């Protein structure tokens, strides 16, 4: 079905290459379908390709996909990577967020006593009772009005999205509003709908996105019987002109990262899926792209608030827009109110997000996170892991509940999240020790036994010295241990790398594929050291180096740097021989001379000493630790340097000596 949809968009480009025209035609056809109660496929132009069944049920998702392709192309990126935000996910988030809000129910009419049902001697009493009841209650049929903080249907207002895109968030909010309004009079529903629309604060920097969102919301309201597309409205519907005027004020074109929030009242609830885009990836196809990226980066770094302070405190590394939207949202929403945002799950562990996590924990209440790992493919056509964060603005975090790893079938548009979903409660004290106050969130397995093993490893290792620190048992003084990347960049030096053949000149070239795990032990499986490796084996491919860079001339402790997430182990340490060179898919330890000398003296030779170090690094506990805190499939240098490195126990040393 996904391939059918992809093929339809490609065929549409062939028939109509103007992406703005695609959007306009789709919206016109959608309105025509609502007006005449027809499927949208029946109202599309005849020259458009036939709409596949998978795209019939949700015109809004198609609109978003068309819009994301337009925005990608306008930005200089490939439209092939564009995708829409799943409405089911957004509705599940809203259902979870709104489950504690109260729908304003009609008050039941006061109880009275029927005269006909009572003996005649009680009529006088019944009349006095009925008069007291009616007089005491007045003519009001409603519970007392709230303070303007929410609609009757229980949606907090103002309700905001600073990157509204194609309008999936407000359209799903309207859907929930309609379902919660069941039982009200038509006039009451109309007034509450007007109140919801007037409380919306939807912004986007794209004119096309704003236009599409306004039109989409109008059509969603019309489909629900809340807007009159052809008239001035009636007791149950808002007139089209009035609805368009309200939406024009509630959906505005604004760059909220660099500009001001275009409304005076601060939002009570903000739900968004901002762009997941690094600045260095913007304007790729634009002739002035390089300068445009530099200008944008500089402007964001220099943007200041009215008091003169820089707006963004969490700008680190490769700036990704989603981080800026999350930080900006914590500035916009009023204190004590809520944010729910859909972001990449890399936020939980990547080094470049430390400043943002500190902001979430130390100056706000980060209450929850829903983490969907890569294989779940929450976004159609995208394999990246997905995270939903829940934050209450202001205060500080004492405990955060991490729901992970989640499966797509554990979300529900009716209830939010399955109550059997796996979770971990991170209390501030232990959490700060585990992460040295970087507030990373461990990646947990679903299996209960493995979860306990991971937690045990974290508890035992958290307060141990780090490999890259001075003063650990391996390096009690002198220069610290550093982690380096292999000396050969496989892309830039590809002409000097070839397959291994008997009699070929050159030296062994070792890459990640040569790290082999057999019976729990890691070793280097390379044809230069094992002549029995069969012809055609992957270990013979790209295994020979004949370039100008020479081998180090001594053995080293090395680790594969790029791993398959499905492999049995994440860390695979081995001692590589002195006559080889390493590719950049391999990391190695740069040990100070003093450490090398002490290892050789204590273990009889340098190679034996390095084997001992590799055995310690291959411990099961360290591998569990590494899996828990991995930000991605790369074993980064900083990750290795921050590995806990406890002194070897007597038992482990004895086991090593007996091997």
């Amino acid at each position: 079905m996904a391939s059918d949809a992809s093929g339809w968009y490609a065929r549409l480009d062939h028939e109509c290459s103007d992406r703005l025209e695609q959007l306009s035609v789709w919206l016109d056809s959608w309105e025509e379908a609502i007006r005449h109660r027809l499927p949208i496929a029946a109202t599309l132009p005849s020259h458009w390709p036939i709409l596949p069944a998978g795209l019939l049920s949700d015109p809004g998702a198609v609109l978003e996909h068309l819009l994301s392709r337009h925005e990608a192309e306008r930005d200089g990126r490939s439209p092939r990577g564009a995708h829409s935000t799943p409405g089911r996910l957004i509705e599940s988030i809203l259902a979870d967020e709104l489950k504690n809000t109260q729908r304003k129910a009609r008050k039941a009419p006061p109880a009275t006593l029927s005269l006909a049902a009572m003996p005649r001697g009680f009529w006088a009493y019944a009349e006095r009772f009925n008069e007291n009841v009616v007089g005491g209650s007045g003519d009001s049929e409603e519970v007392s009005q709230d303070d303007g903080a929410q609609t009757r249907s229980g949606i907090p207002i103002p309700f905001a999205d600073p990157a509204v895109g194609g309008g999936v968030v407000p359209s799903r909010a309207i859907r929930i509003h309609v379902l919660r309004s069941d039982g009200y009079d038509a006039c009451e529903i109309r007034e509450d709908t007007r109140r919801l629309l007037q409380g919306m604060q939807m912004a986007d920097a794209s004119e096309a996105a704003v236009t599409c969102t306004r039109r989409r919301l109008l059509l969603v309201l019309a489909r629900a019987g809340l807007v009159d597309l052809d008239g001035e409205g009636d007791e149950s519907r808002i007139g089209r002109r009035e609805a368009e005027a309200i939406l024009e004020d509630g959906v505005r074109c604004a760059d909220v990262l660099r500009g001001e929030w275009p409304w005076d009242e601060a939002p009570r609830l903000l739900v968004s899926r901002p762009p997941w885009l690094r600045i260095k990836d913007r304007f790729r196809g634009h002739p002035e792209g390089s300068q445009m990226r530099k200008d944008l980066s500089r402007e964001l770094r220099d943007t200041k608030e009215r008091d003169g302070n820089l707006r963004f405190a969490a700008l680190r590394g490769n700036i990704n827009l989603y981080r800026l939207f999350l930080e900006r949202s914590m500035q916009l929403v009023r204190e004590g109110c809520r944010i729910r945002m859909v972001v990449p799950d890399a936020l939980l562990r990547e080094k470049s997000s430390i400043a943002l996590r500190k902001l979430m924990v130390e100056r706000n209440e980060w209450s929850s996170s829903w983490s969907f790992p890569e294989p779940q493919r929450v976004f159609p056509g995208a394999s990246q892991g997905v995270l939903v964060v829940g934050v209450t603005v202001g205060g500080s975090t004492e405990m955060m509940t991490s729901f992970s790893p989640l499966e797509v079938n554990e979300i529900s548009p009716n209830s939010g999240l399955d109550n059997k979903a796996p979770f971990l409660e991170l209390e501030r004290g232990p959490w700060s020790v585990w992460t040295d106050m970087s507030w990373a969130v461990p990646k947990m397995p679903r299996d209960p036994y493995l979860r306990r093993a991971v937690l045990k490893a974290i508890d035992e290792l958290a307060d141990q010295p780090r490999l890259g620190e001075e003063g650990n048992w391996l390096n009690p003084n002198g220069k610290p241990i550093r982690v380096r990347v292999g000396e050969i960049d496989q892309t830039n030096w590809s002409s000097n790398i070839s397959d291994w053949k008997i009699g070929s000149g050159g030296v062994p070239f070792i890459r990640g594929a040569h790290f082999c795990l057999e019976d729990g032990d890691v070793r280097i499986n390379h044809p230069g050291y094992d002549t029995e490796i069969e012809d055609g084996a992957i270990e013979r491919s790209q295994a020979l180096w004949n370039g100008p860079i020479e081998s180090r001339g001594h053995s080293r402790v090395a680790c594969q740097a790029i791993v398959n997430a499905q492999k049995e182990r994440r860390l695979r340490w081995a001692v590589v021989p002195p006559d080889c060179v390493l590719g950049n898919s391999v990391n190695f330890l740069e040990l100070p001379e003093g450490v090398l000398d002490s290892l050789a003296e204590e273990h009889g030779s340098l190679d034996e000493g390095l084997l001992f170090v590799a055995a310690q690094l291959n411990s099961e506990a360290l591998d569990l630790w590494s899996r828990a805190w991995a930000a991605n499939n790369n074993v980064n240098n900083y990750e290795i340097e921050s590995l806990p490195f406890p002194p070897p126990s007597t038992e482990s040393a004895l086991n090593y000596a007996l091997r």
Side-chain angles (χ1 to χ4, degrees):
M1 188 175 295
S3 60
D4 289 344
S6 177
W8 183 80
Y9 290 111
R11 292 192 296 274
L12 176 60
D13 287 342
H14 181 74
E15 296 294 337
C16 177
S17 59
D18 187 326
R19 299 193 188 281
L20 287 176
E21 183 181 346
Q22 292 176 4
L23 289 164
S24 177
V25 171
W26 182 263
L27 286 164
D28 289 343
S29 299
W30 191 2
E31 178 170 340
E32 197 68 14
I34 291 173
R35 194 185 302 277
H36 298 288
R37 298 183 180 276
L38 294 171
I40 193 170
T43 60
L44 290 172
S46 58
H47 66 279
W48 274 37
I50 297 174
L51 197 66
L55 299 180
L56 281 171
S57 60
D58 192 351
V62 177
L63 175 69
E64 273 211 67
H65 196 89
L66 291 172
L67 179 63
S68 63
R69 295 164 82 247
H70 162 70
E71 299 292 351
E73 186 178 61
R74 190 191 65 164
D75 200 35
R77 295 174 286 118
S78 170
R80 291 179 179 272
H83 50 264
S84 59
T85 304
R88 184 170 179 266
L89 174 64
I90 296 299
E91 196 162 347
S92 300
I93 294 169
L94 288 169
D96 184 74
E97 188 62 36
L98 299 176
K99 63 187 177 185
N100 293 323
T101 62
Q102 297 297 317
R103 190 180 81 104
K104 298 297 179 181
R106 292 179 60 86
K107 187 175 181 180
T112 58
L113 298 176
S114 171
L115 297 181
M118 302 185 68
R120 189 174 182 84
F122 289 90
W123 281 14
Y125 168 77
E127 286 176 345
R128 289 195 303 273
F129 175 83
N130 289 342
E131 287 174 0
N132 291 337
V133 168
V134 173
S137 62
D139 58 0
S140 173
E141 293 184 340
E142 302 291 334
V143 296
S144 60
Q145 294 297 309
D146 60 12
D147 61 356
Q150 65 178 42
T151 63
R152 287 179 180 271
S153 56
I155 298 177
I157 51 176
F159 172 51
D161 183 349
V164 73
V168 63
V169 170
S171 68
R172 293 292 167 155
I174 290 172
R175 181 172 175 173
I176 291 176
H177 164 76
V178 172
L179 293 173
R180 285 185 164 204
S181 297
D182 185 37
Y184 289 146
D185 291 343
C187 184
E188 293 173 328
I189 297 174
R190 183 196 62 192
E191 292 307 310
D192 202 37
T193 300
R194 182 181 283 117
R195 188 179 182 192
L196 173 62
L197 296 180
Q198 290 172 340
M200 284 188 174
Q201 298 179 347
M202 305 291 144
D204 202 284
S206 164
E207 287 279 7
V210 169
T211 300
C212 289
T213 295
R214 289 172 178 168
R215 187 83 177 276
R216 176 181 184 172
L217 298 186
L218 184 76
L219 298 179
V220 169
L221 290 163
R223 179 70 178 81
L226 298 174
V227 162
D228 179 3
L229 288 176
D230 300 309
E232 296 301 315
D234 50 37
E235 65 175 9
S236 63
R237 296 180 297 172
I238 302 171
R240 178 169 189 152
R241 284 192 298 179
E242 181 186 357
E244 288 178 334
I246 297 174
L247 290 172
E248 186 174 352
D249 181 68
V251 185
R252 301 190 193 180
C253 187
D255 183 349
V256 301
L257 295 183
R258 289 177 285 182
E260 297 300 321
W261 187 241
W263 292 273
D264 294 329
E265 190 176 2
R268 284 188 171 87
L269 175 62
L270 185 151
V271 180
S272 185
R273 202 285 284 183
W276 301 2
L277 182 63
R278 297 179 300 181
I279 289 180
K280 74 174 189 177
D281 293 329
R282 292 202 69 180
F283 316 121
R284 283 291 186 185
H286 198 284
E288 303 295 329
S290 178
Q291 187 60 46
M292 293 172 73
R293 286 191 292 273
K294 291 178 182 177
D295 292 343
L296 176 59
S297 179
R298 184 183 63 256
E299 288 178 27
L300 289 169
R301 291 183 185 278
D302 294 342
T303 299
K304 295 182 179 180
E305 296 289 10
R306 293 177 180 175
D307 60 6
N309 291 324
L310 291 175
R311 173 169 289 176
F312 298 109
L315 285 174
R316 296 291 187 277
N318 293 324
I319 304 172
N320 197 309
L321 293 180
Y322 82 81
R323 291 196 207 122
L324 305 188
F325 273 102
L326 182 50
E327 181 174 359
R328 182 72 170 126
S329 297
M330 289 185 280
Q331 300 165 1
L332 296 174
V333 173
R334 68 180 66 193
E335 187 169 355
C337 293
R338 295 282 294 165
I339 296 170
R340 294 295 285 268
M341 192 165 285
V342 183
V343 298
D345 75 342
L347 167 70
L348 295 177
R349 286 170 290 276
E350 64 186 355
K351 185 177 182 180
S352 51
S353 289
I354 289 178
L356 181 57
R357 291 197 299 268
K358 286 187 174 183
L359 187 63
M360 293 167 65
V361 171
E362 297 170 8
R363 295 171 57 185
N364 298 276
E365 183 184 349
W366 182 7
S367 58
S368 66
S369 62
W370 298 359
S371 180
F372 301 85
E374 293 177 11
Q376 289 302 308
R377 295 184 178 272
V378 175
F379 286 79
S383 60
Q384 191 169 6
V386 174
L387 173 70
V388 180
V389 295
V391 178
T392 300
V393 174
S396 63
T397 305
E398 297 304 321
M399 184 175 70
M400 193 275 284
T401 304
S402 170
F403 295 90
S404 170
L406 295 177
E407 297 176 349
V408 173
N409 59 10
E410 289 177 318
I411 57 174
S412 167
N414 298 319
S415 59
L417 198 61
D418 192 313
N419 57 13
K420 295 182 180 179
F423 68 92
L424 174 66
E425 292 182 333
L426 294 169
E427 297 182 15
R428 187 182 181 103
W431 189 12
S432 66
V433 175
W434 284 3
T435 65
D436 195 22
M437 297 187 71
S438 73
W439 309 113
V441 177
K443 181 189 297 184
M444 301 297 291
R446 284 188 70 93
D447 180 82
Y449 173 80
L450 290 177
R451 288 175 78 89
R452 288 193 294 270
V454 169
L455 291 174
K456 181 180 178 182
I458 291 175
D459 276 335
E460 291 178 349
L461 295 173
D463 59 354
Q464 296 293 329
R466 302 308 196 225
L467 178 63
E469 292 178 350
E470 295 183 28
N472 60 49
W473 65 270
L474 183 59
N475 183 34
N477 47 52
K479 295 181 180 179
I481 295 169
R482 289 290 176 252
V483 180
R484 306 300 183 194
V485 178
E487 47 269 303
I488 308 302
D489 185 317
Q490 293 170 230
T491 300
N492 294 334
W493 292 93
S494 58
S495 61
N496 297 102
I497 304 171
S498 58
D499 295 347
W500 186 273
K501 296 179 182 178
I502 298 176
S504 301
V507 299
F509 176 70
I510 294 180
R511 51 195 179 87
H514 292 121
F515 285 72
C516 175
L517 181 65
E518 289 185 356
D519 299 326
D521 292 329
V522 182
R523 67 181 184 85
I524 299 299
N525 192 30
H526 189 282
Y529 312 115
D530 185 355
T531 58
E532 296 183 0
I533 295 177
E534 298 179 356
D535 291 342
I538 190 173
E539 290 83 1
R540 286 186 176 272
S541 174
Q542 303 292 292
L544 182 68
W545 170 253
N546 57 13
I549 298 176
E550 298 181 355
S551 62
R552 290 293 181 101
H554 61 82
S555 299
R556 290 175 281 176
V557 178
C559 178
Q560 60 182 158
I562 302 174
V563 299
N564 185 327
Q566 307 306 316
K567 282 188 175 181
E568 182 182 347
R569 291 183 58 88
R570 174 174 172 79
L571 294 181
R572 295 187 175 192
W573 292 92
V575 176
V576 297
D579 62 342
C580 67
V581 295
L582 304 179
N584 58 350
S585 60
V586 176
N587 293 320
F588 67 93
L589 299 185
E590 188 173 76
L591 300 173
E593 289 293 331
V595 172
L596 295 174
D597 292 341
S598 62
L599 283 173
E601 181 179 352
E602 184 174 350
H603 297 276
S605 70
L606 177 58
D607 281 3
E608 285 298 312
L610 295 179
L611 285 170
F612 178 74
V613 172
Q616 304 303 310
L617 293 169
N618 278 325
S619 74
E620 181 180 357
L622 276 184
D623 191 67
L624 290 174
W625 172 282
S626 177
R627 284 180 178 275
W629 302 112
N632 49 49
N633 287 340
N634 293 341
V635 182
N636 299 299
N637 289 3
Y638 68 82
E639 176 188 343
I640 296 176
E641 290 179 354
S642 63
L643 279 175
F645 202 46
S649 64
T650 303
E651 181 181 357
S652 63
L654 178 61
N655 289 339
Y656 174 79
L658 294 175
R659 287 176 57 187

